[in-house]
């Protein structure tokens, strides 16, 4: 009887660990995407700010607004290159 209690506790512990693992896997994947999005946005806006610092000398200014932040967040540095090319063409 004591062996059955120990076995059931071990099974319960293993199932509990499995549930925690699955829940963490489900919740951390979107969190990783969101953190990557914020990191890309931050780096892109920082580079855009540096470009705008030199706008006095180059007469080339790109506004920092929600649309540019979304593009920079999704695409990162290639998004910044895309915005610069679009600004040069328009």
């Amino acid at each position: 009887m004591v062996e059955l209690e120990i076995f059931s506790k071990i099974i319960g512990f293993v199932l509990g660990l499995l549930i925690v693992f699955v829940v963490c896997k489900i919740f951390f994947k979107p969190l990783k995407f969101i953190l990557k999005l914020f990191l890309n946005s931050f780096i892109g806006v920082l580079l855009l700010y540096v470009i705008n610092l030199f706008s006095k000398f180059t007469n080339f200014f790109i506004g920092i607004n929600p649309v540019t932040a979304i593009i920079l967040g999704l695409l990162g540095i290639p998004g910044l290159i895309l915005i610069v090319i679009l600004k040069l063409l328009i």
Side-chain angles (χ1 to χ4, degrees), residues 1-70:
M1 195 68 168
V2 173
E3 295 168 352
L4 186 60
E5 277 185 38
I6 291 174
F7 182 71
S8 66
K9 286 181 182 179
I10 291 173
I11 294 295
F13 180 74
V14 170
L15 286 176
L17 283 177
L18 185 64
I19 289 171
V20 168
F21 177 74
V22 169
V23 168
C24 287
K25 188 89 167 162
I26 289 170
F27 285 118
F28 283 133
K29 194 167 186 174
L31 184 64
K32 186 178 175 183
F33 174 73
I34 291 170
L35 289 176
K36 184 179 178 188
L37 188 71
F38 281 130
L39 182 66
N40 281 345
S41 295
F42 179 74
I43 291 172
V45 169
L46 185 69
L47 290 174
L48 188 59
Y49 179 73
V50 169
I51 288 173
N52 286 337
L53 281 178
F54 292 106
S55 68
K56 291 184 261 182
F57 307 113
T58 61
N59 227 7
F60 185 79
F61 179 79
I62 299 173
I64 299 174
N65 56 38
V67 174
T68 57
I70 290 173

